Amino acid sequence: RKFSKSHSSQAPKSHTSPNIKPERYTPTPMRREDLLDLNEVLQYPGRQISVEISTELDQEEDIDLIKPLEGELHAVSTGNILIITGHFETTMVLECSRCSNPVETPIDFDIEEHFPVVGTPSSLSAQDMATVAPEEPYPLFEGNNLMVEALLRQDLLVSIPMHVECPPGTCSYSEQQSKLQSQESGRPEFIDLANKLKLKENLEDQD
């Protein structure tokens, strides 16, 4: 997985009393490779960061990616809300809804998540600091660090189409159905039934 961070905007520098030392932020220990430190964004409302991400979601056994999940995340805080947006694309293997054969399926999706922020940003108060307070029942943060792959997995799963079919002319189920219909259409009883129905329609049209 690859993270590449760039700053697109900055908030003005804070001014504190020379007699008060601002509280230093101690980052949460990086126990996961996919953690993205958003403390700078949270302590400086209006400052945005953009991160290019490429991951294969190696830890997700129920997701079969053919191409890496790639895109860009943007994060900015209003002071009360942490806003995370982005756009991602990948190709994954899904089952055909008809024949259950594997189908390579391109998927793209947008991300727009809002998370509550509590506390006063350290850029505005030397005696406090802002922290994200997510309300989700499943973990997406460790302190002010975003679990990137957990967020991406969540949005990828809800973007998977419910109905997937093989490309035209390649579905084994469709071929079987076509053969069955061809066999049925050639049987005498079906031909006789079709003729009777056609005759009935003609008589009704005359009436």
Side-chain angles (χ1 to χ4, degrees):
R1 58 180 67 87
K2 296 182 295 184
F3 291 178
S4 175
K5 181 167 70 174
S6 62
H7 297 274
S8 57
S9 59
Q10 294 187 351
K13 295 182 179 180
S14 61
H15 297 279
T16 60
S17 170
N19 297 322
I20 301 177
K21 293 183 179 180
E23 181 177 349
R24 294 182 62 84
Y25 170 68
T26 302
T28 301
M30 298 293 281
R31 294 186 294 271
R32 295 170 55 108
E33 293 182 0
D34 68 331
L35 289 178
L36 176 61
D37 189 346
L38 296 179
N39 187 65
E40 182 179 354
V41 169
L42 292 165
Q43 306 314 322
Y44 292 86
R47 178 175 295 183
Q48 176 176 292
I49 65 169
S50 297
V51 185
E52 294 180 354
I53 295 174
S54 176
T55 176
E56 296 179 356
L57 297 179
D58 299 328
Q59 304 301 319
E60 309 299 338
E61 297 181 356
D62 57 339
I63 296 178
D64 188 2
L65 299 183
I66 297 176
K67 296 181 180 179
L69 180 60
E70 297 182 333
E72 190 172 52
L73 275 182
H74 311 282
V76 64
S77 173
T78 66
N80 297 318
I81 299 293
L82 172 64
I83 303 173
I84 297 178
T85 58
H87 180 81
F88 285 82
E89 299 179 353
T90 187
T91 299
M92 64 185 305
V93 176
L94 300 175
E95 286 188 356
C96 174
S97 302
R98 292 176 174 269
C99 67
S100 297
N101 285 336
V103 181
E104 295 185 7
T105 308
I107 294 178
D108 67 279
F109 59 91
D110 293 315
I111 290 177
E112 183 171 351
E113 302 285 351
H114 294 194
F115 302 101
V117 175
V118 298
T120 304
S122 61
S123 63
L124 303 177
S125 171
Q127 299 176 340
D128 200 0
M129 64 181 297
T131 57
V132 63
E135 300 174 344
E136 285 71 19
Y138 39 84
L140 289 178
F141 289 86
E142 288 187 4
N144 285 342
N145 297 307
L146 173 66
M147 298 178 181
V148 175
E149 291 192 353
L151 177 66
L152 294 180
R153 180 183 186 276
Q154 164 190 290
D155 285 82
L156 173 61
L157 289 177
V158 299
S159 301
I160 294 176
M162 296 293 293
H163 187 80
V164 176
E165 292 186 9
C166 295
T170 64
C171 184
S172 58
Y173 175 84
S174 299
E175 292 178 359
Q176 293 174 359
Q177 289 297 104
S178 297
K179 290 180 180 179
L180 181 60
Q181 292 175 1
S182 177
Q183 292 172 357
E184 291 179 346
S185 63
R187 293 171 59 180
E189 58 268 31
F190 286 102
I191 295 175
D192 184 55
L193 178 60
N195 290 335
K196 289 180 179 180
L197 291 174
K198 185 175 182 180
L199 177 61
K200 182 179 178 180
E201 292 176 357
N202 291 336
L203 292 174
E204 290 177 350
D205 292 340
Q206 292 176 2
D207 293 341

